[in-house]
Amino acid sequence: VMGLLVLAWDRQMPSPARRRVTFSVERLGEDTANRAESRADTTSAAANFSDQAASDQPATAEEEAEPLWCGKWTLDKRCSEKYEPILKDMGVNYLVRKAADAKTSVLIIGKSSSNVTFVVKTLVTVEDVLPLDGSWIKKPVPPAGRMRGEMRLRLTKHTQREMEMLTEFPVGEGNLRDTLVVHEDGASFTRTVVRGRSDGGQLVCTRVFRKN
């Protein structure tokens, strides 16, 4: 009798929840796959963000194109006005003024990551190194004129095609604004020098330089 009861009880017991076990394994597989996809999405998003951040970085000085005004340039006297009136207004003596106009001026302009180098070769060679950030530099006033003391210079504009410098002389002696604009051919530029006097008056001289 006891054996029959055990047999009957065994038949009434529900079968093991195999389907539930199988479902749990499948769910585990899905969760693992989802986590893998999530990690892949995160990695892809991070890569995209990194690429975007890199593209948003400003170009370095090496990556920027060299300005068109860089190089060696020679004055074309046929297309240029005389510089003597401005030199006279600045108190430069007669012989120096005449000699300066008789000489063919040469400009050599270069640019680094932080400065513009401006070399003028005429009666004498004068070199100025001007910071790109527009900071002032100071230097003694050139001899052979009435001015004494220090003057200061700075860049006021620099683009691919244009550069502008401002020189301020000692108190009461006015200033000089020097603007270079490269022509469309890229092989010449116009240099416009505006002499600002302390009384508010102006003298203007326009000169043409051609690239060597």
Side-chain angles (χ1 to χ4, degrees):
V1 175
M2 183 61 68
L4 293 174
L5 290 174
V6 171
L7 181 59
W9 174 262
D10 184 64
R11 290 177 177 175
Q12 293 176 4
M13 288 292 291
S15 60
R18 296 177 182 174
R19 187 174 183 181
R20 182 176 302 170
V21 173
T22 302
F23 173 80
S24 298
V25 172
E26 292 174 351
R27 180 63 178 272
L28 178 60
E30 291 174 358
D31 290 345
T32 302
N34 289 339
R35 285 195 295 272
E37 290 177 2
S38 177
R39 284 195 298 270
D41 291 343
T42 302
T43 301
S44 176
N48 290 338
F49 178 81
S50 177
D51 291 342
Q52 181 64 36
S55 66
D56 290 342
Q57 292 297 318
T60 63
E62 291 75 17
E63 294 170 338
E64 294 178 356
E66 184 178 70
L68 296 175
W69 36 261
C70 285
K72 185 176 181 180
W73 308 80
T74 301
L75 176 68
D76 186 343
K77 290 186 177 182
R78 300 168 303 172
C79 309
S80 302
E81 298 174 344
K82 292 187 177 298
Y83 203 58
E84 184 186 4
I86 287 181
L87 294 176
K88 181 179 180 180
D89 190 71
M90 292 168 55
V92 177
N93 72 55
Y94 176 81
L95 291 178
V96 173
R97 298 196 313 258
K98 292 297 182 182
D101 263 339
K103 184 78 173 176
T104 298
S105 300
V106 174
L107 302 181
I108 302 172
I109 310 171
K111 177 180 175 290
S112 70
S113 60
S114 56
N115 299 301
V116 168
T117 303
F118 195 83
V119 180
V120 181
K121 293 185 175 183
T122 178
L123 287 177
V124 295
T125 297
V126 178
E127 178 176 346
D128 292 312
V129 180
L130 305 174
L132 289 173
D133 64 6
S135 301
W136 290 101
I137 64 165
K138 293 182 179 181
K139 59 185 293 186
V141 173
R146 70 165 181 266
M147 295 187 194
R148 297 292 183 270
E150 281 190 335
M151 62 184 190
R152 62 179 192 166
L153 306 80
R154 73 182 183 96
L155 282 177
T156 54
K157 185 176 184 180
H158 57 92
T159 65
Q160 281 294 101
R161 193 174 292 276
E162 186 173 349
M163 180 176 66
E164 184 178 84
M165 299 170 288
L166 176 65
T167 302
E168 290 188 351
F169 297 110
V171 176
E173 293 290 357
N175 59 51
L176 203 68
R177 189 174 297 276
D178 199 336
T179 306
L180 280 61
V181 180
V182 179
H183 301 162
E184 290 298 324
D185 61 7
S188 59
F189 68 69
T190 296
R191 180 185 184 189
T192 303
V193 181
V194 179
R195 160 71 173 154
R197 297 191 297 228
S198 57
D199 63 2
Q202 286 187 341
L203 291 174
V204 180
C205 175
T206 300
R207 317 193 96 187
V208 174
F209 286 75
R210 303 198 183 278
K211 200 164 192 175
N212 291 7

